[in-house]
């Protein structure tokens, strides 16, 4: 029987080939070429739940993690966007776990379920989709909180979500049905908060 790490299938959608295999330098170099960002790794208290959220709301798919130490002992989960880039979810482990949980709670206390802007929201990965409307529609239908959409000055709609137990992520599109939820602007948001530069 072929192992998970060798199993390969190809899906063609929007002229993008999606390979349902584990990450490897060979795959990443063939797909993206050298010197391109192929993945990010983020900390999450519950990797499986974070991944399930992104599969449901953000068009992710799960990628099999071939290392039993990471997968079974640590609890790591891998995911991939339709474009091929990956996000790996790792639970906090090693020195400082209690501190991480304390900081995660402090972040949540400030962002109020990702409905308020905070300095921590500035740090996030982002990707684009053809239309932001289906994602907003699903989030609203399930009562899931998010920040935005924000209509940027170049007519890009930006949505910020906080993945459960995890970090913030941004989804952008030039297309959005404003009847779902009226967009705000960065000028309006800047007026809500103290944007005065810190003293030198």
């Amino acid at each position: 029987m072929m192992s998970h790490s060798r199993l390969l299938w190809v899906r063609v959608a929007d002229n993008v080939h999606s390979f349902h295999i584990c990450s490897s330098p060979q795959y990443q170099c063939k797909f993206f070429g050298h010197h391109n960002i192929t993945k990010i790794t983020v900390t999450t208290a519950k990797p499986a739940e974070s991944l399930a959220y992104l599969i449901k709301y953000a068009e992710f798919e799960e990628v099999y993690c071939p290392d039993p130490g990471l997968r079974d002992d640590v609890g790591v989960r891998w995911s991939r966007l339709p474009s091929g880039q990956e996000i790996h979810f790792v639970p906090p482990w090693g020195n400082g776990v209690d501190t991480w949980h304390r900081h995660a709670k402090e972040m949540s206390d400030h962002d109020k379920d990702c409905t308020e802007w905070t300095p921590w929201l500035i740090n996030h990965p982002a990707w684009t989709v053809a239309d932001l409307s289906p994602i907003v529609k699903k989030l609203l239908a399930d009562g899931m909180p998010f920040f935005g959409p924000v209509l940027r000055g170049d007519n890009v709609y930006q949505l910020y979500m906080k993945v459960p137990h995890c970090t913030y992520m941004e989804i952008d599109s030039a297309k959005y049905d404003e009847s779902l939820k009226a967009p705000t602007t960065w000028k309006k948001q800047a007026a809500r908060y103290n944007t005065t530069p810190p003293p030198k």
Side-chain angles (χ1 to χ4, degrees):
M1 179 176 291
M2 193 174 293
S3 68
H4 287 283
S5 60
R6 299 291 182 182
L7 185 62
L8 167 67
W9 61 270
V10 179
R11 183 183 67 210
V12 179
D14 299 326
N15 297 320
V16 174
H17 297 270
S18 183
F19 299 86
H20 194 73
I21 56 175
C22 67
S23 286
S24 69
Q26 293 82 4
Y27 158 73
Q28 293 171 348
C29 290
K30 181 178 179 180
F31 195 91
F32 298 107
H34 294 289
H35 309 300
N36 284 291
I37 295 175
T38 57
K39 76 173 181 74
I40 65 167
T41 302
V42 296
T43 310
T44 168
K46 298 181 180 180
E49 292 185 20
S50 299
L51 175 57
Y53 174 92
L54 289 171
I55 289 173
K56 182 174 183 178
Y57 296 109
E59 304 174 347
F60 276 69
E61 66 179 358
E62 183 169 9
V63 180
Y64 182 78
C65 175
D67 188 289
L70 291 175
R71 183 185 65 248
D72 300 328
D73 300 331
V74 177
V76 172
R77 292 294 181 272
W78 291 0
S79 67
R80 182 179 295 148
L81 282 161
S83 56
Q85 289 89 351
E86 296 180 2
I87 298 182
H88 295 181
F89 300 98
V90 181
W93 66 295
N95 291 335
V97 171
D98 291 341
T99 303
W100 183 89
H101 282 287
R102 186 174 69 252
H103 288 173
K105 183 181 183 305
E106 291 173 351
M107 288 169 56
S108 295
D109 290 342
H110 285 290
D111 69 37
K112 297 178 171 52
D113 287 330
C114 201
T115 59
E116 295 285 344
W117 191 260
T118 74
W120 296 278
L121 247 164
I122 296 168
N123 300 307
H124 57 264
W127 61 93
T128 60
V129 294
D131 186 355
L132 197 59
S133 309
I135 294 173
V136 172
K137 190 177 294 184
K138 285 190 289 186
L139 290 168
L140 290 173
D142 290 350
M144 302 301 294
F146 57 90
F147 186 91
V150 182
L151 179 56
R152 200 169 61 191
D154 55 353
N155 294 319
V156 171
Y157 294 94
Q158 300 172 281
L159 178 146
Y160 297 84
M161 57 171 57
K162 185 176 183 181
V163 181
H165 318 293
C166 190
T167 189
Y168 305 103
M169 299 189 182
E170 173 188 345
I171 307 177
D172 298 341
S173 182
K175 183 178 180 181
Y176 171 63
D177 179 2
E178 294 188 4
S179 68
L180 294 172
K181 182 186 178 185
T184 184
T185 66
W186 288 118
K187 190 172 185 63
K188 291 178 181 177
Q189 292 304 313
R192 295 180 59 205
Y193 304 100
N194 180 14
T195 56
T196 303
K200 295 182 179 180

